[in-house]
Amino acid sequence: MQSLVILISGRGSNMQALLEARRHNDRIVVISSNPQAIGLSIAGQYGVETAALDHRDFPDRQSFDAALAEIIDRYRPKLIALAGFMRILSDSFVQRHHQRLMNIHPSLLPAFPGLGTHARALQEGVKIHGCTVHFVTSQLDHGPVVIQAAVPVFPDDTETTLAARVLQQEHRIFPQAVRWFMEDRIRWIANRIEIIDPPCGGTELISPGLTK
Ligand code: GRF
């Protein structure tokens, strides 16, 4: 049996999308950095194992990451999916899980790394925005891209309407990327990602035209 660890901090809608699309012979464990995260109770409804590790109980990032790594190691996960995990991971944690840490980010990276992506996209007046699934490296929001989805930005968009449009696509591409990984269909070629045998000659970009 292969295992997948999903790290969350809050609402957990991406985690839920992963749980909806899970392969039933995989063992799934959800770990939250916030014991009050709504996502934890959602995970409970899916009958998967959960754990919480309150980052406020630790004096610094290194000690939190060490405790997190210890819990994760118990499950020997094939992949660790960061689904709205609002903690920056230390270099040592990232190195230890090299090529096994995947993140969903709400922008078309390398545009808008960090927080507040939708507000910044509106401020810049971009016409296309979106989301990215990428591997985590020690450079924040800059690892190799697995799949991206683009959405149009409309003149009357607000941060809320744009976030909702992007989130819909996040729920589409993250399960896709995780599945490719669990099926051993992701290959690193230098710093780029190649998908082995994508479905129906498919692509790693979902464009506005295809999503409407
Ligand atoms: C998502 O927009 C994700 O891309 C970002 O944080 C948000 C988490 O939302 N990293 P949810 O907890 O998955 O609903």
Side-chain angles (χ1 to χ4, degrees):
M1 185 189 281
Q2 295 185 327
S3 68
L4 165 68
V5 164
I6 304 174
L7 300 184
I8 63 166
S9 297
R11 178 178 61 177
S13 71
N14 276 290
M15 171 212 71
Q16 188 167 7
L18 295 178
L19 294 179
E20 283 290 329
R22 72 191 183 281
R23 306 184 312 160
H24 285 273
N25 46 354
D26 288 338
R27 179 183 194 186
I28 301 191
V29 184
V30 173
I31 304 173
S32 175
S33 62
N34 166 13
Q36 271 81 49
I38 297 170
L40 275 178
S41 51
I42 299 173
Q45 290 161 23
Y46 283 79
V48 297
E49 293 164 76
T50 59
L53 194 64
D54 195 339
H55 65 91
R56 289 164 295 198
D57 292 342
F58 295 85
D60 53 31
R61 192 180 304 286
Q62 293 293 341
S63 55
F64 173 80
D65 284 5
L68 180 63
E70 200 185 304
I71 299 184
I72 290 175
D73 283 353
R74 288 183 213 151
Y75 300 100
R76 304 171 62 83
K78 182 178 174 79
L79 179 68
I80 302 163
L82 308 185
F85 186 66
M86 303 307 284
R87 303 269 316 159
I88 294 174
L89 294 163
S90 56
D91 273 359
S92 55
F93 186 98
V94 171
Q95 294 309 326
R96 182 183 175 130
H97 301 289
H98 182 55
Q99 299 195 344
R100 282 194 295 137
L101 270 176
M102 208 183 250
N103 183 46
I104 176 85
H105 182 78
S107 78
L108 289 174
L109 291 174
F112 311 124
L115 297 173
T117 56
H118 309 306
R120 285 151 64 207
L122 289 173
Q123 205 170 9
E124 293 293 340
V126 296
K127 305 295 184 202
I128 293 177
H129 186 42
C131 47
T132 303
V133 177
H134 66 98
F135 282 99
V136 176
T137 59
S138 42
Q139 201 185 350
L140 182 70
D141 296 331
H142 268 93
V145 170
V146 179
I147 182 170
Q148 294 184 300
V151 301
V153 180
F154 297 123
D156 59 350
D157 264 330
T158 62
E159 209 178 321
T160 309
T161 58
L162 186 55
R165 193 172 308 121
V166 171
L167 191 63
Q168 226 180 357
Q169 298 307 317
E170 294 183 37
H171 296 165
R172 208 170 154 196
I173 63 172
F174 205 16
Q176 175 64 86
V178 167
R179 179 166 282 254
W180 280 334
F181 189 92
M182 297 305 277
E183 292 175 346
D184 294 315
R185 288 166 59 195
I186 290 184
R187 194 156 46 203
W188 287 59
I189 310 223
N191 227 17
R192 301 171 77 100
I193 298 302
E194 190 181 286
I195 308 303
I196 301 164
D197 195 18
C200 318
T203 163
E204 292 95 76
L205 169 69
I206 295 173
S207 75
L210 294 173
T211 59
K212 277 243 148 179

